[in-house]
């Protein structure tokens, strides 16, 4: 619960970090979890690699940083400060990553059998939520850009039409920014949702930094969303699995959200995650604009250097406009490597193997290094040198098979069953060609970015089969399929 501040919030405080510091100064010994007792029993070979401070800071909130009743309000104050920092009314920390946070959010706005509008470029965690919750999805399809081979976020008019056809829908789930850094017209979509007295949920996994700099796309809270789920580990400075719910308005009951989150989350949350969330918030409030300024300037220099490299095509302003994106995050540098004659998969693997440079997002034709204020002269140099080496060596990389990307609309599959019903139905594994015309019973999500090409309950088409089969031959990974090689597919039994 958010605490009402009697005076101006003191963002120089970091309640979780302060309590952790006091705990370590006191030298408390805990006769309960974690069993390593602040590292005393850990194998020295582990300590040599991980470091002793990780274990010394691995403390429970209850009967550790705070008492049994949590009467000191350590976590409450940290969450209240976070809410104030991001223009929200309330904030809730989550230690299970945004994949579980988004499930909690969806379950907080609708019950089994009720409808939610969902942008079809949603992450697999959203479809997983549909399987758990029994919601009925109303897909709002993004705009496919033939020239760029890219899906742009749905626009307000798309959402309005979906609500007009499904006025009983409880909410809309929008993805903004996308993995490729394109942002939706969140304010316009929020206005439409509120016209229909429905909540807007924003999957803002890639947008932790947005509230702290005016030169970035507006964050969900600034744009009028009712709830935003943010992965601070992606573009922020918290460790993996760090996630936050940002909430405002009265269309979503925070107590219900807390209950749904408690249903799915761990009962042993990591103080390491809480502490890094707390410290990152303080850093952003005190220095965020300056630090992000530096990162934006660095990204601009990197873009300028890449623009001079033959065979690499930067994606930028052409992604903006009607039928496209509303804004772009300048820290996401999207590079089309298709002119080199290689796929993004090949480019990413080549740079890792030959230059020890790891690229986070790749697909059939793109790679995308994400820049944060953690980058410096050395990381800038290493990235540019790796790209120059890729360009110089492209002719020596084996030519990839062609990925058969279907025409617009061909990946908008018919939903014949609710995802939950299809996932739990009697199923059979059939050769992939025999799956055409059948109802899928599993998630098929090319990764990254992890957007399902087939969701349970959708009718599999020849176009999607050819896309997936050619994609796997070209290096696409499908980690959630029962058959990762995709020679067979799991379908609902006849």
């Amino acid at each position: 619960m958010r605490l009402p501040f009697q005076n101006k919030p003191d963002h120089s405080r970091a309640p979780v970090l302060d309590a952790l510091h006091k705990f370590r100064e006191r030298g408390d010994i805990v006769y309960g979890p974690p069993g390593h007792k602040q590292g005393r029993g850990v194998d020295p070979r582990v300590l040599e690699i991980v470091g002793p401070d990780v274990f010394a800071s691995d403390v429970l909130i209850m009967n550790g940083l705070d008492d049994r009743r949590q009467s000191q309000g350590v976590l409450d104050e940290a969450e209240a400060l976070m809410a104030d920092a991001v223009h929200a009314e309330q904030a809730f920390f989550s230690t299970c990553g945004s994949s579980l946070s988004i499930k909690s959010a969806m379950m907080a706005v609708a019950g089994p059998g009720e409808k939610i509008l969902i942008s079809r470029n949603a992450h697999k965690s959203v479809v997983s939520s549909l399987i758990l919750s029994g919601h009925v999805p109303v897909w709002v399809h993004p705009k496919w850009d033939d020239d760029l081979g890219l899906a742009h976020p749905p626009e307000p008019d798309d959402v309005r039409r979906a609500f007009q056809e499904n006025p009983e829908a409880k909410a809309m789930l929008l993805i903004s920014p996308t993995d490729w850094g394109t942002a939706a017209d969140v304010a316009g979509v929020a206005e439409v949702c509120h016209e229909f007295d429905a909540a807007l949920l924003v999957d803002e996994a890639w947008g932790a930094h947005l509230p702290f700099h005016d030169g970035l796309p507006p964050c969900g809270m600034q744009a009028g969303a009712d709830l935003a789920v943010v992965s601070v580990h992606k573009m922020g400075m918290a460790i993996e699995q760090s996630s936050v719910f940002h909430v405002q308005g009265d269309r979503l009951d925070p107590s219900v959200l807390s209950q749904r989150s408690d249903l799915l989350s761990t009962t042993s949350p990591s103080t390491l995650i809480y502490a890094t969330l707390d410290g990152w918030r303080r850093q952003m409030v005190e220095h965020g604009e300056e630090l992000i300024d530096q990162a934006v300037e660095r990204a601009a220099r990197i873009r300028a250097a890449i623009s001079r490299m033959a065979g690499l095509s930067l994606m930028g302003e052409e992604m903006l406009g009607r039928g496209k994106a509303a804004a772009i995050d300048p820290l996401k540098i999207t590079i089309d490597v298709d002119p080199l004659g290689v796929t993004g998969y090949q480019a990413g693997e080549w740079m890792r193997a030959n230059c020890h440079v790891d690229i986070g997002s790749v697909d059939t034709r793109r790679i995308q290094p994400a820049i944060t204020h953690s980058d410096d002269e050395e990381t800038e140099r290493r990235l540019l040198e790796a790209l120059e080496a890729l360009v110089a060596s492209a002719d020596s990389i084996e030519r990839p098979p062609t990925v058969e990307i279907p025409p617009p609309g061909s990946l908008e599959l018919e939903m014949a069953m609710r995802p939950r019903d299809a996932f739990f139905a009697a199923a059979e594994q059939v050769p992939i060609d025999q799956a055409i015309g059948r109802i899928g019973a599993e998630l098929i999500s090319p990764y990254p970015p992890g957007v399902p090409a087939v969701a349970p309950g959708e009718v599999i088409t020849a176009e999607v089969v050819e896309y997936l089969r050619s994609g796997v031959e070209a290096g696409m990974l499908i980690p959630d399929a029962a058959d990762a090689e995709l020679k067979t597919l799991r379908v609902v039994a006849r």
Side-chain angles (χ1 to χ4, degrees):
M1 177 181 293
R2 184 182 182 189
L3 299 179
F5 292 110
Q6 294 181 345
N7 302 306
K8 185 177 180 180
D10 181 4
H11 281 285
S12 68
R13 284 181 47 73
V16 178
L17 280 168
D18 293 343
L20 182 57
H21 179 64
K22 291 175 182 176
F23 174 90
R24 293 182 62 169
E25 275 194 331
R26 290 195 309 266
D28 286 17
I29 297 177
V30 180
Y31 291 90
H36 59 70
K37 293 188 183 288
Q38 285 64 67
R40 287 178 173 84
V42 177
D43 188 328
R45 293 169 295 182
V46 175
L47 294 178
E48 184 179 355
I49 296 173
V50 177
D53 283 344
V54 170
F55 294 95
S57 299
D58 186 23
V59 185
L60 293 182
I61 286 278
M62 186 183 296
N63 287 330
L65 301 192
D66 209 335
D67 58 31
R68 180 176 65 86
R69 300 179 186 275
Q70 300 192 52
S71 61
Q72 297 172 40
V74 171
L75 183 59
D76 284 346
E77 185 182 359
E79 290 177 331
L81 286 166
M82 178 69 80
D84 183 78
V86 300
H87 319 291
E89 292 176 6
Q90 291 185 272
F92 300 90
F93 291 175
S94 171
T95 63
C96 294
S98 290
S99 292
L100 270 184
S101 298
I102 205 70
K103 295 177 177 67
S104 303
M106 291 171 66
M107 291 183 183
V109 294
E114 293 183 318
K115 291 183 178 181
I116 297 182
L117 272 56
I118 301 175
S119 179
R120 186 56 181 83
N121 61 329
H123 188 263
K124 61 179 288 186
S125 59
V126 173
V127 180
S128 299
S129 177
L130 296 172
I131 293 169
L132 292 172
S133 67
H135 295 145
V136 177
V138 176
W139 299 123
V140 183
H141 290 283
K143 305 293 181 62
W144 181 255
D145 189 321
D146 256 347
D147 294 332
L148 299 177
L150 192 71
H152 297 297
E155 295 178 304
D157 286 346
D158 303 314
V159 178
R160 179 174 283 108
R161 282 191 295 272
F163 271 121
Q164 287 170 343
E165 295 171 5
N166 302 271
E168 71 277 23
K170 299 294 184 180
M172 166 73 191
L173 176 68
L174 183 68
I175 292 80
S176 182
T178 66
D179 290 68
W180 304 110
T182 57
D185 178 3
V186 180
V189 173
E191 185 177 340
V192 171
C193 289
H194 298 163
E195 284 176 20
F196 289 86
D197 195 28
L200 173 60
L201 314 180
V202 179
D203 182 344
E204 201 170 79
W206 285 100
H209 56 312
L210 300 185
F212 302 104
H213 196 280
D214 291 340
L216 302 177
C219 70
M221 292 293 99
Q222 292 168 318
D226 299 279
L227 178 144
V229 171
V230 177
S231 294
V232 180
H233 65 96
K234 281 184 163 67
M235 295 295 287
M237 301 298 116
I239 62 175
E240 283 294 325
Q241 294 181 222
S242 302
S243 177
V244 184
F245 300 97
H246 300 158
V247 185
Q248 65 183 354
D250 57 5
R251 289 183 176 83
L252 191 144
D253 186 339
S255 65
V256 173
L257 175 62
S258 182
Q259 287 180 336
R260 301 301 187 268
S261 180
D262 186 61
L263 184 69
L264 296 174
S265 299
T266 176
T267 56
S268 304
S270 169
T271 295
L272 291 167
I273 293 178
Y274 286 160
T276 56
L277 283 169
D278 199 23
W280 170 78
R281 179 269 314 158
R282 179 174 62 183
Q283 181 187 36
M284 286 294 97
V285 172
E286 292 180 343
H287 307 293
E289 186 171 2
E290 174 191 355
L291 292 171
I292 295 173
D293 259 342
Q294 295 170 6
V296 171
E297 290 172 6
R298 188 176 306 282
R301 286 199 304 273
I302 292 171
R303 286 177 183 277
I306 293 172
S307 69
R308 297 189 290 269
M309 298 182 192
L312 299 182
S313 176
L314 279 166
M315 298 176 67
E317 297 298 317
E318 74 276 12
M319 293 194 286
L320 298 176
R322 185 164 181 79
K324 297 185 179 182
I328 301 174
D329 181 355
L331 299 182
K332 304 295 284 291
I333 301 176
T334 304
I335 307 167
D336 190 341
V337 298
D338 190 60
L340 291 178
V342 300
T343 66
Y345 307 127
Q346 289 179 302
E349 290 169 2
W350 190 93
M351 291 170 71
R352 176 181 171 84
N354 294 277
C355 305
H356 307 298
V357 167
D358 296 353
I359 301 295
S361 294
V362 299
D363 72 358
T364 56
R365 60 185 286 182
R366 277 171 289 270
I367 61 174
Q368 187 199 77
I371 304 302
T372 72
H373 74 255
S374 302
D375 284 290
D376 56 20
E377 298 298 322
E378 174 66 8
T379 65
E380 179 180 341
R381 179 186 65 79
R382 288 281 300 277
L383 173 61
L384 292 176
E385 287 181 353
L387 290 170
E388 289 170 346
L390 172 68
V391 170
S393 302
D395 288 343
S396 66
I397 300 174
E398 184 180 355
R399 299 298 92 176
T402 301
V403 179
E404 300 295 336
I405 299 178
S410 295
L411 291 179
E412 298 177 9
L413 306 183
E414 174 194 354
M415 190 180 72
M417 295 176 68
R418 285 193 307 175
R420 178 182 177 86
D421 295 341
F423 188 82
F424 289 111
E428 55 186 341
Q429 203 79 18
V430 300
I432 189 168
D433 287 332
Q434 295 179 23
I436 296 170
R438 302 287 297 273
I439 299 171
E442 63 179 337
L443 281 163
I444 306 292
S445 310
Y447 219 94
V451 174
V454 179
E458 291 183 330
V459 178
I460 298 166
T461 64
E463 290 89 351
V464 79
V465 162
E466 189 55 35
Y467 163 63
L468 291 169
R469 180 159 44 197
S470 63
V472 169
E473 290 175 357
M476 180 187 291
L477 300 178
I478 316 277
D480 50 7
D483 176 4
E485 294 181 357
L486 235 59
K487 293 178 180 177
T488 62
L489 288 178
R490 188 172 177 80
V491 297
V492 174
R494 294 191 189 279

